[in-house]
Structure formats: C-alpha cells, structure tokens
Amino acid sequence: MDELKRDNTSKHNNKHEFTPYITSERNIPEFSVRAIILGVILAIVFGAANAYVGLKVGMTVSASIPAAVISMTILRGVLKKGTVLENNMVQTIGSSGESLAAGVIFTIPALIFLGFAPSILEIFIMSALGGCLGILFMIPLRRYLIVREHNTLPYPEGTACAKILVAGEQGGTKALLVLGGALTGGVYKFLLKGLGLWKDEVFCNIKLNQQPLVQSTLSAEVSPVLLGVGYIIGPRIAALMLSGAVLGWFVLIPIIQYIGSGFAEALAPATKPINQLETIELWSFYIRYIGAGAVLLGGIVSLFKALPIIIQSIKQSIKNIIPSSASAGEMRTDRDMPIKYVLLISILVIIATFIYLVVYKNSIGISVSLGMGLISILLIILFGGVFVTVAARIVGIVGSSSSPVSGMTITTLIAISLIFVAFGWTDKSGMLVAMSIGAIVCIAVCMSGDISQDLKTSYLVGATPYKIQIAEFIGVLAPAIVIAGLLLFLSNTGKLGSSELKAPQASLMKMIVEGVFGGHLPWVLILIGAFIGLCVELLGISSLPFAIGLYLPFSLSAPIMIGGIIAWIISLRTKSSENDNERGVLFSSGLVAGDALMSIIIVFLPYIVINTKPISELLNIRGAIHDSGWENLLGFGIFMALAVFLFFIVKTHKNTTPPAAL
C-alpha cells in the first residue's frame, strides 16, 4: 500500500530502514524564497478559513494536502519551477495555519464567553507561545515517532501528502489519479454543501417497540474526506474506532435512557430529565465525558509505552549539544535543529510565557501572583509535554482529522482547574488564568499533530528535518495575527456564540472550567470512561483508537469504516501486497484534497456571490426531495455510489512495481 517504504537493513542508528524519494546524497532547492512566500500566503488563507469553519461546525479541515496540491499547481504548473522539496516546504508552512486556527477557536472564545475580551495582541501572544511550544516539544520526538516507528504509525495525511508530492513530481498516471480523486471529491462536496442537493449526514432512528424510550441513532456523515481517510488507515484501526462508537451509541446511550427514564429531575450534567433528551443530547451530556476519560487513560498508557525510547532519544540529542547536529558523517535527511538551539529557544519561550502570565495579565487588571505564575509555567510544561506526545501518536494512528484534541484539552482544563482550586485561586482571575493555560496547551497539541504529519511527509520525500522545523516556526507566527483579528472581529460584530457560529468546543471548555471552579463536574462519567479504556488495554488491544471512536460522534466512525472495508476487500483480492493498493491510496488522497479544497472555497462563496441562496433552494430541488421523504436514502445512496466508484478505481488496474527512485 505504501510505495514509499523500503526494508533495507539498518546498520547504524543514523541509517534508516527506508530510502526516501530524494536520497540524502542529493541536494536540491528546498528552503527557497518562493517556497516560503507561497507557504506564508497559504498559511494565512487556510488559517482564516478554518477559524471560521471551526467556529461554525466544531471541526477544521486538514490543510496539508490542499496546500501541497496548490503548491504543485503554482510552482510546477504556472511558474514551471519548483522541486518536490520546495512543494513540501510550502505545504509544511501552509498547513500550520489550519492547526493554529483549531487550537485558537477551540479555547480562546471560551475566555470571551467567560466575560473577558482579549485584545488582538493577547490572542497573538497565546497563539505564538502555544505554537512554538508544540514545535519545541516535537523536535526531540522526531526520531522516535517518525523514524523508529515508521512501519508502525501510518500517519495517513502525512503519507497521503507525500504520495501526492511524488505523484506531482513524476506526473503521468499518478498525477491523473490524484487529480481525478480531487475533482471527484470537490464536485461531490460542491453538490453536497454548495448546492445543498442532499443532506451531509444521514440517519435512522432505532426504537424498540417494547421499550419506546430506549432508542439510538444509526448515522453517517456522507463525506469524501472520511471515506478517503478510512481507506488510508485501513480496516483494523477503522474497526477499533467503530467499536468504540458502537459501545457509546448502542450500549451506553440505551442504558442511560433505560435506567434514567423514570427520573423526574435532570441528572447532571444534563439540564433536563433524561426522558426529554434527544439521542444527540444524551451523547453531548454524558458520552463525551466518558469518551474523554477513555482518551485520557489511552493517552497515559501510550505515553508510558513510549517513555523509554523518548528518554533515549532525548539523551542522544543532549550528547550533541557541543557538536552541532550537522556534524560530519550525519546524513542530510537526519539533521534535526541542534539541541543547543532548541534549549535556548525553549528558555526564551518559557520566559516570555512567564512575562505574559504575570506582568501582562496584571497590567490589564487580572491578578496573578508570582506563585501562580510559576505553577502555571510548570503546568504548561507538564501537560504540554504529555499531550503533545500523545497527540502526535494519535494522529499517527487515525490522522489529524479524527484527533480528539478537545478531549485532551478537557483533561488539561480539569486538572489545572483542580490544582488552582486546591491552591485557593478560585476567583475570576484564577478561572481566566486556568483557561489561558488550557488555550496555550491546546494550541501546542494542535500544532504537534500537524508537525508530526509534516515530519512524516518530509521523511518520506527526503526533506531536511532542521529546515522543516524552522519552517514550522514561520508557519505559526505568520497567520497568528490574522486569526486573532478575525476572532476579535467576529466577537465585536456579535456573530461569535450566535446560532451561526456556536463555537461548540469553546462552549464546552467554558462549561468545564465553571464546573470545576463551581464544584459540579461529572467525575463519575470520566472515571467510567477511564475504566472502560483500562478494560480494552487488559484485552491486549490499544485503547486509543477505541477511545477516539467512543469520544467522537458515530456519524464520523461509520464512513471511515466503509473506507476501511473497501481497503480490506481490495487486500483480499490482491493477496495483500502493499503496492497493489497504490491506486486506491492515491485516489483516496485526491478525495481528501478535493473535499478539503472545496470546503475552503465554500466558506468564501457568500462573500463572492451576491445571491447567497443555494441554487437547489431557488429551484426548490431540495424541498421536493425533502417533502418526498427520500432525502436520507438519497444521501446514503450517492455516498455508497462514491464508495463503489473508489472500489472500481482500485480494482481496474494494479501497479505492483514501485518507482525506481524510491
């Protein structure tokens, strides 16, 4: 399946089990002015667009693949210049804006909802601090997560992005497959969201006649990006995710409803009796907390499993403090930023964070003592280091799109709030500082997911690690000010928190912080989730994919499983050779790219087109479909047609011979 892998014998720590597309002996343009400028422009565009999308629907669109496609189109198509490493540099910088936007919109609006109005400067400071911490934490992890675990962690978006870059370099059939997938995904998304011809989520309510109160919902988001990700990650991980979703939606929700149906009063954290709650409300009030507990347990177990090699990696890096990482004999493709510079920048970031939390906060009327500032720094380092590691491994399993960043942020906020309460910092200032710490950690975690995918892509194509790490800093600082301005604009115009832009994650974060400081957080649900995760681990199964499925809506896991099933069927038909699935991975990567690009374009359509009514509404197409009662069936049928099309794209031809250069 992965044409980029090689199984060469490793004879030294610096000699990988793999030969990249551009070997270490070759030096071609990479960190060029044109690549940096184009990357910064894309980072700003994708950052602003994803900030809006995230506030509206609660999730962002991965920008790595769209950035790579745009880069190839401009550098190679329009300018007739640009190498595969320059294109990789562009997508590295360009995709940073999306990850930064996710961290910002998941947390910083909660400060506004708590009654505090941060300035553009403050939002920029939190964004820059969190982003830089995420990069600094990831640098010593590269050799473990990307190199040592190369054959274990697929990093689906990173691998897909590398394939697109290589396909664009080689042209021919590979480029046509990517282009065909992108066009298919883009047209599908435009018909779905741009014209509104069918629903983007189909569902079927399941009820038992004997117990009419016991019900659940079988649902699926009919999205090309989820189908493509499901194919790329494969059937096993997709099945683990689906099993968690099945437990949540078809075991826990019916149990909660069956037992709680006789309660006349609301059972916290719900605000009304259980027998009055819809299925989605049961998930929102109860299952998400259970899922957060399972993610917490899975993350801790994952961290402990990785700890020995992480320590070894850090020790190896420390040995190179005196001789730089570019010392003689080290391959270009294995040169990280010298650890002495990593330590220096880390110290400067820690000092800047302390000045922000103590000096700046006090200057704007938020009381922060010296002790609170020092404890806050320790908490940022502790939770940032832990969850950056966990998030980087999670996206290696299921990809950035399904990473439960909000679950890890919830855990961080709970722990920080409890510590603040224990120290007696329970006033408004303590609550705002706790939320600010959570925002910095969340941004760092979001950035780590993108950075790890970028490092995977870079490892596959043969980029220079330290140049990529420098590019990540550029990708954080460039879009931060634009995202800050957009967020403040939406707040000042009254759109933030409205029915148009509900900011669901930020609303949940506000509720958690107020819950801990007010003493009414549902600990029982979180502990139940942790013990469920423990049971899965005791069965010898990694609990992280399972926990992710439990935490996320069932509608996300179902289409991912469909993609995984197609990959499984293809593997049976092709006798399991990885290169036999090359066509499917390339076409799936195109689906992801087309869906993502069209999602960004659709965001701007209301500001470009004078009449913003969907064409389907003007023609009364959707109304007729809805009135006929066939809307769910239509959406599911079209999605399954797309899945069948993917199957036949893979089935038609097989390419079992990998490119010679790889």
Side-chain angles (χ1 to χ4, degrees), residues 227-512:
L227 181 67
V229 168
Y231 189 99
I232 293 169
I233 67 174
R236 184 177 181 277
I237 295 174
L240 287 174
M241 289 185 62
L242 185 64
S243 64
V246 169
L247 177 68
W249 287 78
F250 297 101
V251 177
L252 297 180
I253 285 179
I255 287 176
I256 292 171
Q257 194 169 53
Y258 178 74
I259 295 176
S261 60
F263 295 172
E265 298 181 354
L267 179 64
T271 55
K272 54 186 178 181
I274 289 177
N275 58 14
Q276 297 179 19
L277 295 176
E278 298 290 335
T279 307
I280 189 65
E281 292 176 309
L282 289 168
W283 171 80
S284 179
F285 285 122
Y286 300 108
I287 305 304
R288 279 205 296 181
Y289 287 105
I290 295 174
V295 170
L296 172 61
L297 187 281
I300 292 173
V301 170
S302 233
L303 179 66
F304 274 100
K305 287 179 180 178
L307 203 56
I309 302 180
I310 292 172
I311 294 174
Q312 181 183 353
S313 177
I314 293 174
K315 286 181 178 179
Q316 186 64 38
S317 297
I318 291 175
K319 290 180 181 179
N320 295 327
I321 290 181
I322 302 302
S324 74
S325 63
S327 57
E330 189 174 30
M331 294 189 299
R332 175 188 62 79
T333 53
D334 200 39
R335 294 176 191 165
D336 286 304
M337 181 182 292
I339 193 66
K340 59 185 177 183
Y341 296 133
V342 174
L343 292 175
L344 177 61
I345 298 173
S346 299
I347 292 171
L348 293 176
V349 170
I350 290 172
I351 292 173
T353 305
F354 181 80
I355 292 173
Y356 162 67
L357 290 174
V358 178
V359 179
Y360 181 84
K361 289 285 189 184
N362 279 292
S363 70
I364 59 175
I366 298 176
S367 178
V368 182
S369 64
L370 180 62
M372 184 188 293
L374 292 174
I375 294 295
S376 298
I377 293 294
L378 292 176
L379 292 175
I380 290 173
I381 294 173
L382 173 63
F383 287 103
V386 169
F387 285 124
V388 160
T389 305
V390 172
R393 190 170 182 85
I394 287 177
V395 300
I397 298 172
V398 300
S400 300
S401 301
S402 300
S403 179
V405 172
S406 52
M408 289 179 276
T409 307
I410 287 170
T411 304
T412 300
L413 282 176
I414 290 172
I416 291 172
S417 299
L418 285 173
I419 292 170
F420 272 42
V421 169
F423 276 100
W425 302 325
T426 56
D427 59 1
K428 189 74 171 181
S429 293
M431 190 181 299
L432 293 176
V433 172
M435 193 64 243
S436 299
I437 296 173
I440 293 173
V441 171
C442 180
I443 293 169
V445 171
C446 287
M447 285 303 304
S448 72
D450 172 69
I451 295 165
S452 57
Q453 297 283 9
D454 290 340
L455 289 174
K456 181 71 169 185
T457 303
S458 301
Y459 179 67
L460 295 172
V461 300
T464 309
Y466 80 87
K467 293 181 180 179
I468 296 300
Q469 290 154 1
I470 294 173
E472 296 288 358
F473 285 104
I474 298 174
V476 165
L477 297 176
I481 189 68
V482 176
I483 295 173
L486 175 64
L487 190 62
L488 202 59
F489 169 78
L490 294 173
S491 175
N492 292 337
T493 55
K495 291 186 177 182
L496 188 62
S498 66
S499 57
E500 182 182 354
L501 299 174
K502 294 182 179 179
Q505 276 86 355
S507 300
L508 178 62
M509 305 305 171
K510 167 184 175 286
M511 182 180 70
I512 288 172

Side-chain angles (χ1 to χ4, degrees), residues 541-578:
I541 301 171
S542 175
S543 63
L544 267 178
F546 177 88
I548 294 167
L550 179 59
Y551 176 77
L552 295 173
F554 184 89
S555 58
L556 295 182
S557 297
I560 289 176
M561 187 70 245
I562 293 174
I565 290 173
I566 296 174
W568 174 67
I569 294 173
I570 293 297
S571 69
L572 293 179
R573 296 178 63 90
T574 57
K575 306 301 181 184
S576 74
S577 173
E578 284 202 357

Side-chain angles (χ1 to χ4, degrees), residues 61-69 91 94-95 98 157 161 450 453-454 457:
V61 180
S62 178
S64 294
I65 293 173
V69 173
Q91 74 82 19
S95 63
E98 175 264 327
E157 284 103 340
C161 190
D450 172 69
Q453 297 283 9
D454 290 340
T457 303

